[in-house]
PDB file of all heavy atoms in Angstrom:
ATOM      1  N   GLU A  26      14.989  -7.917 -18.507  1.00 97.00           N
ATOM      2  CA  GLU A  26      13.606  -7.458 -18.618  1.00 97.00           C
ATOM      3  C   GLU A  26      13.208  -7.084 -20.042  1.00 97.00           C
ATOM      4  O   GLU A  26      12.046  -6.768 -20.306  1.00 97.00           O
ATOM      5  CB  GLU A  26      13.338  -6.275 -17.677  1.00 97.00           C
ATOM      6  CG  GLU A  26      14.339  -5.143 -17.787  1.00 97.00           C
ATOM      7  CD  GLU A  26      15.438  -5.229 -16.735  1.00 97.00           C
ATOM      8  OE1 GLU A  26      15.953  -6.352 -16.492  1.00 97.00           O
ATOM      9  OE2 GLU A  26      15.784  -4.172 -16.161  1.00 97.00           O
ATOM     10  N   ASP A  27      14.152  -7.115 -20.982  1.00 98.00           N
ATOM     11  CA  ASP A  27      13.825  -6.922 -22.389  1.00 98.00           C
ATOM     12  C   ASP A  27      13.354  -8.220 -23.044  1.00 98.00           C
ATOM     13  O   ASP A  27      12.941  -8.214 -24.210  1.00 98.00           O
ATOM     14  CB  ASP A  27      15.035  -6.388 -23.156  1.00 98.00           C
ATOM     15  CG  ASP A  27      15.459  -5.003 -22.702  1.00 98.00           C
ATOM     16  OD1 ASP A  27      14.575  -4.154 -22.491  1.00 98.00           O
ATOM     17  OD2 ASP A  27      16.687  -4.773 -22.579  1.00 98.00           O
ATOM     18  N   THR A  28      13.426  -9.314 -22.323  1.00 98.00           N
ATOM     19  CA  THR A  28      12.973 -10.592 -22.849  1.00 98.00           C
ATOM     20  C   THR A  28      11.492 -10.525 -23.202  1.00 98.00           C
ATOM     21  O   THR A  28      10.660 -10.171 -22.355  1.00 98.00           O
ATOM     22  CB  THR A  28      13.218 -11.714 -21.816  1.00 98.00           C
ATOM     23  OG1 THR A  28      14.632 -11.866 -21.633  1.00 98.00           O
ATOM     24  CG2 THR A  28      12.619 -13.035 -22.274  1.00 98.00           C
ATOM     25  N   ALA A  29      11.174 -10.852 -24.443  1.00 98.00           N
ATOM     26  CA  ALA A  29       9.800 -10.739 -24.937  1.00 98.00           C
ATOM     27  C   ALA A  29       9.758 -11.212 -26.388  1.00 98.00           C
ATOM     28  O   ALA A  29      10.801 -11.432 -27.009  1.00 98.00           O
ATOM     29  CB  ALA A  29       9.311  -9.294 -24.843  1.00 98.00           C
ATOM     30  N   VAL A  30       8.556 -11.332 -26.891  1.00 98.00           N
ATOM     31  CA  VAL A  30       8.357 -11.478 -28.335  1.00 98.00           C
ATOM     32  C   VAL A  30       8.128 -10.080 -28.893  1.00 98.00           C
ATOM     33  O   VAL A  30       7.292  -9.335 -28.386  1.00 98.00           O
ATOM     34  CB  VAL A  30       7.171 -12.402 -28.649  1.00 98.00           C
ATOM     35  CG1 VAL A  30       6.996 -12.529 -30.157  1.00 98.00           C
ATOM     36  CG2 VAL A  30       7.378 -13.778 -28.034  1.00 98.00           C
ATOM     37  N   TYR A  31       8.879  -9.742 -29.920  1.00 98.00           N
ATOM     38  CA  TYR A  31       8.831  -8.420 -30.516  1.00 98.00           C
ATOM     39  C   TYR A  31       8.076  -8.469 -31.846  1.00 98.00           C
ATOM     40  O   TYR A  31       8.295  -9.362 -32.670  1.00 98.00           O
ATOM     41  CB  TYR A  31      10.245  -7.895 -30.733  1.00 98.00           C
ATOM     42  CG  TYR A  31      10.907  -7.452 -29.450  1.00 98.00           C
ATOM     43  CD1 TYR A  31      11.328  -8.375 -28.503  1.00 98.00           C
ATOM     44  CD2 TYR A  31      11.090  -6.097 -29.174  1.00 98.00           C
ATOM     45  CE1 TYR A  31      11.920  -7.965 -27.313  1.00 98.00           C
ATOM     46  CE2 TYR A  31      11.692  -5.686 -27.989  1.00 98.00           C
ATOM     47  CZ  TYR A  31      12.094  -6.625 -27.069  1.00 98.00           C
ATOM     48  OH  TYR A  31      12.674  -6.217 -25.881  1.00 98.00           O
ATOM     49  N   PHE A  32       7.203  -7.490 -32.037  1.00 98.00           N
ATOM     50  CA  PHE A  32       6.362  -7.386 -33.219  1.00 98.00           C
ATOM     51  C   PHE A  32       6.520  -5.997 -33.832  1.00 98.00           C
ATOM     52  O   PHE A  32       6.785  -5.028 -33.124  1.00 98.00           O
ATOM     53  CB  PHE A  32       4.882  -7.549 -32.851  1.00 98.00           C
ATOM     54  CG  PHE A  32       4.532  -8.810 -32.128  1.00 98.00           C
ATOM     55  CD1 PHE A  32       4.641  -8.875 -30.748  1.00 98.00           C
ATOM     56  CD2 PHE A  32       4.071  -9.913 -32.817  1.00 98.00           C
ATOM     57  CE1 PHE A  32       4.296 -10.035 -30.055  1.00 98.00           C
ATOM     58  CE2 PHE A  32       3.728 -11.082 -32.145  1.00 98.00           C
ATOM     59  CZ  PHE A  32       3.836 -11.132 -30.763  1.00 98.00           C
ATOM     60  N   CYS A  33       6.290  -5.921 -35.127  1.00 97.00           N
ATOM     61  CA  CYS A  33       6.157  -4.606 -35.735  1.00 97.00           C
ATOM     62  C   CYS A  33       4.746  -4.484 -36.302  1.00 97.00           C
ATOM     63  O   CYS A  33       4.078  -5.477 -36.602  1.00 97.00           O
ATOM     64  CB  CYS A  33       7.205  -4.351 -36.814  1.00 97.00           C
ATOM     65  SG  CYS A  33       6.986  -5.305 -38.315  1.00 97.00           S
ATOM     66  N   ASN A  34       4.295  -3.273 -36.437  1.00 96.00           N
ATOM     67  CA  ASN A  34       2.959  -2.983 -36.959  1.00 96.00           C
ATOM     68  C   ASN A  34       2.890  -1.488 -37.196  1.00 96.00           C
ATOM     69  O   ASN A  34       3.752  -0.715 -36.747  1.00 96.00           O
ATOM     70  CB  ASN A  34       1.881  -3.412 -35.963  1.00 96.00           C
ATOM     71  CG  ASN A  34       0.526  -3.672 -36.606  1.00 96.00           C
ATOM     72  OD1 ASN A  34       0.140  -2.981 -37.550  1.00 96.00           O
ATOM     73  ND2 ASN A  34      -0.199  -4.650 -36.117  1.00 96.00           N
ATOM     74  N   LYS A  35       1.892  -1.089 -37.920  1.00 94.00           N
ATOM     75  CA  LYS A  35       1.615   0.333 -38.029  1.00 94.00           C
ATOM     76  C   LYS A  35       1.331   0.881 -36.625  1.00 94.00           C
ATOM     77  O   LYS A  35       0.991   0.134 -35.713  1.00 94.00           O
ATOM     78  CB  LYS A  35       0.385   0.523 -38.942  1.00 94.00           C
ATOM     79  CG  LYS A  35       0.107   1.926 -39.345  1.00 94.00           C
ATOM     80  CD  LYS A  35      -1.112   1.985 -40.288  1.00 94.00           C
ATOM     81  CE  LYS A  35      -2.417   1.676 -39.611  1.00 94.00           C
ATOM     82  NZ  LYS A  35      -2.806   2.706 -38.641  1.00 94.00           N
ATOM     83  N   ASN A  36       1.497   2.201 -36.489  1.00 93.00           N
ATOM     84  CA  ASN A  36       1.113   2.837 -35.243  1.00 93.00           C
ATOM     85  C   ASN A  36       0.141   3.957 -35.536  1.00 93.00           C
ATOM     86  O   ASN A  36       0.516   4.926 -36.216  1.00 93.00           O
ATOM     87  CB  ASN A  36       2.337   3.374 -34.507  1.00 93.00           C
ATOM     88  CG  ASN A  36       1.958   4.042 -33.200  1.00 93.00           C
ATOM     89  OD1 ASN A  36       2.005   5.262 -33.085  1.00 93.00           O
ATOM     90  ND2 ASN A  36       1.546   3.261 -32.211  1.00 93.00           N
ATOM     91  N   PRO A  37      -1.104   3.892 -35.020  1.00 93.00           N
ATOM     92  CA  PRO A  37      -1.659   2.790 -34.249  1.00 93.00           C
ATOM     93  C   PRO A  37      -1.765   1.516 -35.089  1.00 93.00           C
ATOM     94  O   PRO A  37      -1.828   1.609 -36.322  1.00 93.00           O
ATOM     95  CB  PRO A  37      -3.029   3.299 -33.831  1.00 93.00           C
ATOM     96  CG  PRO A  37      -3.366   4.352 -34.810  1.00 93.00           C
ATOM     97  CD  PRO A  37      -2.070   4.992 -35.197  1.00 93.00           C
ATOM     98  N   PRO A  38      -1.789   0.375 -34.441  1.00 91.00           N
ATOM     99  CA  PRO A  38      -1.653  -0.882 -35.169  1.00 91.00           C
ATOM    100  C   PRO A  38      -2.912  -1.327 -35.914  1.00 91.00           C
ATOM    101  O   PRO A  38      -4.037  -1.029 -35.514  1.00 91.00           O
ATOM    102  CB  PRO A  38      -1.315  -1.891 -34.069  1.00 91.00           C
ATOM    103  CG  PRO A  38      -1.965  -1.335 -32.855  1.00 91.00           C
ATOM    104  CD  PRO A  38      -1.841   0.147 -32.985  1.00 91.00           C
ATOM    105  N   TYR A  39      -2.696  -2.079 -36.990  1.00 89.00           N
ATOM    106  CA  TYR A  39      -3.771  -2.824 -37.625  1.00 89.00           C
ATOM    107  C   TYR A  39      -4.063  -4.034 -36.726  1.00 89.00           C
ATOM    108  O   TYR A  39      -3.197  -4.871 -36.508  1.00 89.00           O
ATOM    109  CB  TYR A  39      -3.338  -3.331 -38.995  1.00 89.00           C
ATOM    110  CG  TYR A  39      -3.306  -2.302 -40.088  1.00 89.00           C
ATOM    111  CD1 TYR A  39      -2.127  -2.033 -40.790  1.00 89.00           C
ATOM    112  CD2 TYR A  39      -4.447  -1.600 -40.473  1.00 89.00           C
ATOM    113  CE1 TYR A  39      -2.074  -1.109 -41.802  1.00 89.00           C
ATOM    114  CE2 TYR A  39      -4.408  -0.663 -41.498  1.00 89.00           C
ATOM    115  CZ  TYR A  39      -3.218  -0.429 -42.154  1.00 89.00           C
ATOM    116  OH  TYR A  39      -3.172   0.494 -43.168  1.00 89.00           O
ATOM    117  N   ALA A  40      -5.290  -4.149 -36.274  1.00 89.00           N
ATOM    118  CA  ALA A  40      -5.628  -5.214 -35.322  1.00 89.00           C
ATOM    119  C   ALA A  40      -5.451  -6.607 -35.915  1.00 89.00           C
ATOM    120  O   ALA A  40      -5.113  -7.554 -35.205  1.00 89.00           O
ATOM    121  CB  ALA A  40      -7.059  -5.027 -34.829  1.00 89.00           C
ATOM    122  N   ASN A  41      -5.677  -6.735 -37.208  1.00 91.00           N
ATOM    123  CA  ASN A  41      -5.651  -8.062 -37.830  1.00 91.00           C
ATOM    124  C   ASN A  41      -4.370  -8.340 -38.585  1.00 91.00           C
ATOM    125  O   ASN A  41      -4.316  -9.270 -39.392  1.00 91.00           O
ATOM    126  CB  ASN A  41      -6.845  -8.205 -38.768  1.00 91.00           C
ATOM    127  CG  ASN A  41      -8.168  -8.130 -38.024  1.00 91.00           C
ATOM    128  OD1 ASN A  41      -8.291  -8.633 -36.914  1.00 91.00           O
ATOM    129  ND2 ASN A  41      -9.143  -7.477 -38.625  1.00 91.00           N
ATOM    130  N   ALA A  42      -3.334  -7.551 -38.356  1.00 91.00           N
ATOM    131  CA  ALA A  42      -2.102  -7.704 -39.124  1.00 91.00           C
ATOM    132  C   ALA A  42      -0.897  -8.082 -38.282  1.00 91.00           C
ATOM    133  O   ALA A  42       0.227  -7.972 -38.743  1.00 91.00           O
ATOM    134  CB  ALA A  42      -1.797  -6.418 -39.892  1.00 91.00           C
ATOM    135  N   TRP A  43      -1.119  -8.539 -37.054  1.00 94.00           N
ATOM    136  CA  TRP A  43       0.012  -8.946 -36.226  1.00 94.00           C
ATOM    137  C   TRP A  43       0.671 -10.179 -36.827  1.00 94.00           C
ATOM    138  O   TRP A  43       0.008 -11.150 -37.179  1.00 94.00           O
ATOM    139  CB  TRP A  43      -0.443  -9.247 -34.798  1.00 94.00           C
ATOM    140  CG  TRP A  43      -0.931  -8.038 -34.064  1.00 94.00           C
ATOM    141  CD1 TRP A  43      -2.222  -7.713 -33.784  1.00 94.00           C
ATOM    142  CD2 TRP A  43      -0.122  -6.976 -33.537  1.00 94.00           C
ATOM    143  NE1 TRP A  43      -2.268  -6.525 -33.112  1.00 94.00           N
ATOM    144  CE2 TRP A  43      -0.997  -6.045 -32.942  1.00 94.00           C
ATOM    145  CE3 TRP A  43       1.242  -6.715 -33.511  1.00 94.00           C
ATOM    146  CZ2 TRP A  43      -0.550  -4.873 -32.320  1.00 94.00           C
ATOM    147  CZ3 TRP A  43       1.682  -5.559 -32.881  1.00 94.00           C
ATOM    148  CH2 TRP A  43       0.804  -4.659 -32.305  1.00 94.00           C
ATOM    149  N   GLY A  44       1.995 -10.138 -36.922  1.00 93.00           N
ATOM    150  CA  GLY A  44       2.739 -11.281 -37.396  1.00 93.00           C
ATOM    151  C   GLY A  44       3.062 -12.236 -36.261  1.00 93.00           C
ATOM    152  O   GLY A  44       2.504 -12.134 -35.168  1.00 93.00           O
ATOM    153  N   GLN A  45       3.971 -13.164 -36.542  1.00 95.00           N
ATOM    154  CA  GLN A  45       4.378 -14.140 -35.536  1.00 95.00           C
ATOM    155  C   GLN A  45       5.334 -13.553 -34.508  1.00 95.00           C
ATOM    156  O   GLN A  45       5.484 -14.085 -33.417  1.00 95.00           O
ATOM    157  CB  GLN A  45       5.055 -15.331 -36.219  1.00 95.00           C
ATOM    158  CG  GLN A  45       4.126 -16.120 -37.116  1.00 95.00           C
ATOM    159  CD  GLN A  45       3.003 -16.747 -36.330  1.00 95.00           C
ATOM    160  OE1 GLN A  45       3.232 -17.398 -35.301  1.00 95.00           O
ATOM    161  NE2 GLN A  45       1.774 -16.555 -36.786  1.00 95.00           N
ATOM    162  N   GLY A  46       5.954 -12.455 -34.872  1.00 97.00           N
ATOM    163  CA  GLY A  46       6.915 -11.848 -33.966  1.00 97.00           C
ATOM    164  C   GLY A  46       8.251 -12.569 -34.003  1.00 97.00           C
ATOM    165  O   GLY A  46       8.415 -13.610 -34.650  1.00 97.00           O
ATOM    166  N   THR A  47       9.217 -11.994 -33.314  1.00 98.00           N
ATOM    167  CA  THR A  47      10.529 -12.633 -33.179  1.00 98.00           C
ATOM    168  C   THR A  47      10.914 -12.591 -31.701  1.00 98.00           C
ATOM    169  O   THR A  47      10.786 -11.559 -31.044  1.00 98.00           O
ATOM    170  CB  THR A  47      11.573 -11.935 -34.066  1.00 98.00           C
ATOM    171  OG1 THR A  47      12.796 -12.669 -34.036  1.00 98.00           O
ATOM    172  CG2 THR A  47      11.820 -10.487 -33.687  1.00 98.00           C
ATOM    173  N   GLU A  48      11.353 -13.717 -31.195  1.00 98.00           N
ATOM    174  CA  GLU A  48      11.576 -13.847 -29.759  1.00 98.00           C
ATOM    175  C   GLU A  48      12.976 -13.408 -29.383  1.00 98.00           C
ATOM    176  O   GLU A  48      13.966 -13.818 -29.987  1.00 98.00           O
ATOM    177  CB  GLU A  48      11.350 -15.290 -29.327  1.00 98.00           C
ATOM    178  CG  GLU A  48      11.382 -15.502 -27.829  1.00 98.00           C
ATOM    179  CD  GLU A  48      10.865 -16.871 -27.427  1.00 98.00           C
ATOM    180  OE1 GLU A  48      10.597 -17.695 -28.317  1.00 98.00           O
ATOM    181  OE2 GLU A  48      10.741 -17.113 -26.213  1.00 98.00           O
ATOM    182  N   VAL A  49      13.035 -12.589 -28.355  1.00 98.00           N
ATOM    183  CA  VAL A  49      14.305 -12.122 -27.807  1.00 98.00           C
ATOM    184  C   VAL A  49      14.403 -12.609 -26.366  1.00 98.00           C
ATOM    185  O   VAL A  49      13.496 -12.360 -25.567  1.00 98.00           O
ATOM    186  CB  VAL A  49      14.398 -10.590 -27.851  1.00 98.00           C
ATOM    187  CG1 VAL A  49      15.659 -10.109 -27.121  1.00 98.00           C
ATOM    188  CG2 VAL A  49      14.405 -10.100 -29.290  1.00 98.00           C
TER     189      VAL A  49
END
């Protein structure tokens, strides 16, 4: 259930700064 694409961002996030993420 940890399977997902993982992203980092500021918290709370910048709406326009999401990267491509890394898939787990």
Side-chain angles (χ1 to χ4, degrees):
E26 51 264 43
D27 295 317
T28 295
V30 180
Y31 285 72
F32 304 86
C33 70
N34 203 324
K35 190 178 70 68
N36 180 253
Y39 284 122
N41 297 322
W43 293 105
Q45 295 297 311
T47 187
E48 187 168 6
V49 173

